[in-house]
C-alpha cells in the first residue's frame, strides 16, 4: 500500500472523527516496543496464506453466523475482523488471520482471539490513539503477531490500508494478492448501531469501494 496515496484519505478520516494523528503515532510507537524476534510474524507467512487464494473476510454484523452456515470454509482463507473471530471459534473454525484493535469486543472475545493465536491464527494487532491501555494489557499474551497502524508505517509496524477492523481485513486481502474476496457479516446500513459506528460503517463502505492505493 502506497502511504502517500493513503495519507490524504487518512487525514480526511481524522478530521471527520476529530481524532488526533499524534495519538495514533504514539500508540504505534508503544506497540513497536512490544515487538521481539520471537513474537513477530513475517510477512512471507501472511502472503503464503493469501496470495492467489480465495479469501473470506468476516465482519461482525449480527447476520454473520447465519451467513457462515451457508459457506464451505475449505474453499477459502478466512480473515476475521475482531469480534467475528469469536463467532468463528464458537463454530469450531479457527480463522487463518485476525485483524483486531482489541477494544471493540468483550473480555471473553479477546480470550478467544488469544486462543485462536495459540491454535495458529496470524493476528494483526492494530494501534490507534485510544487503545494503548488494551495494547498494554493484552499484547504480551499473544505469542506471535503483526503490528499495524493507520498512520505512517515504520520498521515492523505496517499499514496495509483501511480504518476499522472490517475494511482493514479487506485491504489486507487485496494487498497480498487474494484471488478474489467474499464478504460475510457486513451490514453497512445497520440501523441498530450508535452514531459513531454508523459513521465507521459509512467509511468502511466507501473504502471498500475505493480503487487501489
Amino acid at each position: 500500500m502506497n502511504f502517500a496515496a493513503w495519507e490524504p484519505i487518512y487525514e480526511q478520516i481524522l478530521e471527520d472523527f476529530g481524532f488526533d494523528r499524534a495519538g495514533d503515532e504514539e500508540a504505534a510507537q508503544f506497540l513497536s516496543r512490544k515487538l521481539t524476534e520471537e513474537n513477530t510474524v513475517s510477512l512471507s507467512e501472511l502472503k503464503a496464506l493469501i496470495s492467489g487464494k480465495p479469501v473470506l473476510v468476516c465482519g461482525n454484523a449480527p447476520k454473520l453466523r447465519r451467513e457462515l452456515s451457508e459457506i464451505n470454509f475449505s474453499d477459502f482463507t478466512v480473515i476475521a475482523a475482531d469480534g467475528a473471530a469469536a463467532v468463528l471459534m464458537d463454530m469450531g473454525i479457527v480463522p487463518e488471520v485476525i485483524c483486531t484493535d482489541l477494544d471493540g469486543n468483550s473480555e471473553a472475545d479477546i480470550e478467544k482471539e488469544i486462543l485462536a493465536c495459540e491454535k495458529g491464527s496470524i493476528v494483526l494487532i492494530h494501534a490507534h490513539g485510544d487503545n494503548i491501555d488494551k495494547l498494554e494489557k493484552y499484547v504480551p499474551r499473544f505469542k506471535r503477531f503483526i503490528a499495524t497502524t493507520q498512520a505512517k508505517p515504520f520498521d515492523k509496524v505496517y499499514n496495509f490500508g483501511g480504518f476499522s477492523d472490517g475494511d482493514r481485513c479487506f485491504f489486507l486481502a487485496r494487498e497480498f494478492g487474494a484471488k478474489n474476496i467474499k464478504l460475510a457479516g457486513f451490514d453497512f446500513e445497520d440501523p441498530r448501531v450508535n452514531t459513531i459506528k454508523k459513521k465507521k460503517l459509512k467509511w468502511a463502505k466507501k473504502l471498500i469501494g475505493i480503487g487501489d492505493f
Side-chain angles (χ1 to χ4, degrees), residues 23-40:
D24 287 344
E25 293 170 344
E26 179 186 358
Q29 290 287 346
F30 179 88
L31 183 55
S32 74
R33 294 193 290 272
K34 300 292 185 181
L35 294 168
T36 67
E37 288 187 12
E38 290 74 26
N39 70 13
T40 305

Side-chain angles (χ1 to χ4, degrees), residues 7 9 25-26 37 56 61 75 78 88 90 99 105 120 126-127 138 155 158-159 166 170 176 199 208 212:
E7 189 172 22
I9 298 166
E25 293 170 344
E26 179 186 358
E37 288 187 12
L56 177 68
D75 294 339
V78 179
L88 286 157
D90 286 344
C99 294
N105 46 17
H126 189 72
Y138 293 113
D155 297 336
Y158 302 99
N159 185 339
F170 178 87
F176 284 91
K199 190 181 288 189
I208 287 174
D212 291 339

Side-chain angles (χ1 to χ4, degrees), residues 4-161:
W6 165 254
E7 189 172 22
I9 298 166
Y10 170 50
E11 292 287 354
Q12 290 177 38
I13 292 169
L14 291 175
E15 182 177 0
D16 192 23
F17 284 87
F19 292 159
D20 179 17
R21 179 167 179 164
D24 287 344
E25 293 170 344
E26 179 186 358
Q29 290 287 346
F30 179 88
L31 183 55
S32 74
R33 294 193 290 272
K34 300 292 185 181
L35 294 168
T36 67
E37 288 187 12
E38 290 74 26
N39 70 13
T40 305
V41 177
S42 72
L43 296 190
S44 61
E45 289 187 50
L46 192 58
K47 184 175 181 179
L49 287 173
I50 296 172
S51 180
K53 298 177 181 178
V55 168
L56 177 68
V57 170
C58 298
N60 197 31
K63 63 181 181 178
L64 174 63
R65 191 179 294 269
R66 173 177 54 79
E67 291 186 351
L68 291 179
S69 68
E70 302 169 357
I71 290 172
N72 182 352
F73 289 94
S74 65
D75 294 339
F76 297 97
T77 292
V78 179
I79 303 179
D82 212 4
V87 175
L88 286 157
M89 293 293 286
D90 286 344
M91 296 174 68
I93 300 152
V94 180
E96 282 83 2
V97 183
I98 299 170
C99 294
T100 180
D101 61 7
L102 301 173
D103 74 351
N105 46 17
S106 67
E107 184 93 17
D109 285 354
I110 293 173
E111 292 294 336
K112 289 170 186 174
E113 291 178 359
I114 293 168
L115 178 60
C117 183
E118 292 173 352
K119 290 181 175 291
S121 296
I122 293 179
V123 181
L124 279 72
I125 298 178
H126 189 72
H128 57 70
D130 55 0
N131 75 337
I132 289 179
D133 58 332
K134 297 295 179 69
L135 298 176
E136 185 170 23
K137 181 176 182 179
Y138 293 113
V139 166
R141 298 187 58 197
F142 286 86
K143 297 183 182 301
R144 299 174 72 244
F145 63 94
I146 292 171
T148 67
T149 178
Q150 55 208 27
K152 187 175 182 178
F154 61 95
D155 297 336
K156 291 189 176 180
V157 180
Y158 302 99
N159 185 339
F160 304 117

